[in-house]
Amino acid sequence: MPRQDTSTDDEDFSGDSKTRRKKQMIALQELGQELTTLGNKQLSALLLPETLLHAVKEYQRLPNSNEAKRRQLQFIGRLMRDAEHEEIQSRLNAMRTPDIAQIRRAQLIESWGEKLLSADEQAINAFLAEYPLAERQTLRQILRNYTGIQQQDENALRTQRRKLLDYIKAYIN
């Protein structure tokens, strides 16, 4: 006896397949795992629901016992289903994507650092003309310290270069 098909072509199947649901759960668990790598300041900026925030902090507190962390990640994934995970993902992406203005500022700081490290008086004058609040004496002292270091002392060179870049950063908005 042939099998009788009781379904109709226009019947709406609203349920997802088991495979699709499992992939969604794994994706939410991975998003939850990303949240566990963030610090307290970043977590508070994401405006997470209280239960999810508590679960993430609990995960971070757990010892390096794989089974406990695995179970906690599953719990975080379960909490993510009830949370507005699309909104959390978009906030996380926005947090990790630097602003164009920030990128340009960092490039400008690097550019001025390279120009000033050439130890050219014109570069110092150009920087002071562009940023009149900067102090010539302090700038020269930092550059003098940089050029006075032996080339073999990589750590000292890095430290002085960092001081110069931090000084430049203070004046570039």
Side-chain angles (χ1 to χ4, degrees):
M1 182 172 191
R3 203 170 120 205
Q4 192 173 11
D5 189 11
T6 58
S7 67
T8 60
D9 291 339
D10 59 343
E11 185 178 40
D12 182 28
F13 181 73
S14 61
D16 286 340
S17 69
K18 185 176 179 181
T19 304
R20 182 174 293 152
R21 283 194 315 260
K22 187 170 183 175
K23 285 180 181 180
Q24 289 172 345
M25 287 187 292
I26 290 172
L28 291 176
Q29 192 172 338
E30 288 172 354
L31 177 60
Q33 189 166 17
E34 277 187 72
L35 294 177
T36 63
T37 63
L38 302 176
N40 288 335
K41 224 176 189 181
Q42 293 170 320
L43 285 172
S44 63
L46 288 176
L47 305 171
L48 298 173
E50 191 65 34
T51 54
L52 181 59
L53 181 64
H54 180 70
V56 169
K57 288 185 177 184
E58 181 68 20
Y59 176 89
Q60 292 171 339
R61 186 195 64 76
L62 287 173
N64 285 336
S65 168
N66 286 336
E67 186 61 24
K69 287 196 172 211
R70 184 191 64 77
R71 284 192 316 267
Q72 188 68 16
L73 268 180
Q74 284 181 332
F75 178 64
I76 290 171
R78 194 172 312 125
L79 291 174
M80 290 292 293
R81 282 185 246 157
D82 298 333
E84 298 175 11
H85 50 86
E86 294 92 4
E87 191 174 319
I88 293 170
Q89 181 69 56
S90 67
R91 283 191 212 128
L92 185 61
N93 290 342
M95 183 186 297
R96 291 198 169 154
T97 305
D99 187 13
I100 292 173
Q102 291 174 329
I103 293 171
R104 287 191 179 132
R105 180 175 181 254
Q107 289 171 341
L108 185 61
I109 291 168
E110 278 291 325
S111 171
W112 274 114
E114 294 302 317
K115 288 177 192 173
L116 290 170
L117 285 177
S118 69
D120 185 6
E121 188 66 29
Q122 280 184 322
I124 294 172
N125 291 336
F127 183 77
L128 293 172
E130 185 85 23
Y131 306 98
L133 295 177
E135 297 177 9
R136 182 182 301 270
Q137 184 177 359
T138 306
L139 192 55
R140 281 189 174 156
Q141 182 65 41
I142 293 171
L143 291 170
R144 196 174 311 122
N145 289 345
Y146 181 84
T147 56
I149 296 173
Q150 302 263 331
Q151 291 297 328
Q152 291 85 8
D153 194 0
E154 296 271 334
N155 288 336
L157 283 172
R158 259 193 302 265
T159 302
Q160 286 303 317
R161 185 175 190 282
R162 175 59 30 214
K163 281 184 183 179
L164 175 65
L165 294 177
D166 288 342
Y167 185 77
I168 294 169
K169 189 187 301 183
Y171 294 100
I172 295 180
N173 294 329

